[in-house]
Amino acid sequence: MTDTILPFVKAGDGAPYLAGSRCGACGEVFVGTRATCAKCTARDQMAPVHLAQTGKLYDFTVVYRSFPGVKVPFIDAIVDLDDGAHLKGTLMGVDPDPATIQFGMPVTVEFREAVPAGADRPYLTFVFVPAEGAKS
């Protein structure tokens, strides 16, 4: 089994998924594990959930300079997942030309193995890709 690069990326016997928390008091959904709701401040009301693997592009920036070993340009994106969570990641499968990228574009989460710069082995991570039929 490949290690995951982030604590909310989960891999096990089944398909990989993004782990989150849902507040039992107000229903807000967050990435990762939480004990207290950041929206309503309810304590001990958070339940673990599998986050949605679909969403819409909320915002992005095209990165032209990065760490050594990281191929540029790439698209750093913020996505509103369909369950209400918000997540930052890399948008792939789209030309990194800001004039062609559409806000609100439907995207899907994909899981991939990657070897981060400076690492000696692959890790499981996630990226966003245009949803089937989405136009960039």
Side-chain angles (χ1 to χ4, degrees), residues 2-88:
T2 303
D3 290 332
T4 62
I5 200 161
L6 297 163
F8 59 86
V9 175
K10 302 295 183 182
D13 296 333
Y17 66 95
L18 300 174
S21 301
R22 181 184 310 276
C23 179
C26 73
E28 193 73 10
V29 178
F30 301 94
V31 175
T33 303
R34 293 176 176 241
T36 303
C37 179
K39 181 177 181 185
C40 74
T41 69
R43 295 180 181 271
D44 302 320
Q45 296 288 317
M46 305 303 288
V49 294
H50 288 214
L51 296 177
Q53 291 191 15
T54 56
K56 291 187 174 36
L57 180 64
Y58 173 76
D59 204 359
F60 71 92
T61 188
V62 177
V63 178
Y64 295 96
R65 293 181 66 184
S66 191
F67 295 103
V70 176
K71 184 179 174 191
V72 291
F74 67 88
I75 304 166
D76 193 28
I78 298 174
V79 169
D80 291 334
L81 296 177
D82 288 340
D83 58 12
H86 315 283
L87 188 59
K88 182 179 175 209

Side-chain angles (χ1 to χ4, degrees), residues 52-136:
Q53 291 191 15
T54 56
K56 291 187 174 36
L57 180 64
Y58 173 76
D59 204 359
F60 71 92
T61 188
V62 177
V63 178
Y64 295 96
R65 293 181 66 184
S66 191
F67 295 103
V70 176
K71 184 179 174 191
V72 291
F74 67 88
I75 304 166
D76 193 28
I78 298 174
V79 169
D80 291 334
L81 296 177
D82 288 340
D83 58 12
H86 315 283
L87 188 59
K88 182 179 175 209
T90 302
L91 176 61
M92 301 187 77
V94 175
D95 181 21
D97 176 359
T100 64
I101 301 169
Q102 299 295 312
F103 293 105
M105 173 178 61
V107 297
T108 301
V109 174
E110 282 189 2
F111 295 92
R112 299 182 179 175
E113 281 192 348
V115 180
D120 59 354
R121 60 193 166 103
Y123 289 84
L124 184 67
T125 189
F126 72 94
V127 297
F128 300 113
V129 296
E132 188 77 25
K135 292 183 179 181
S136 60

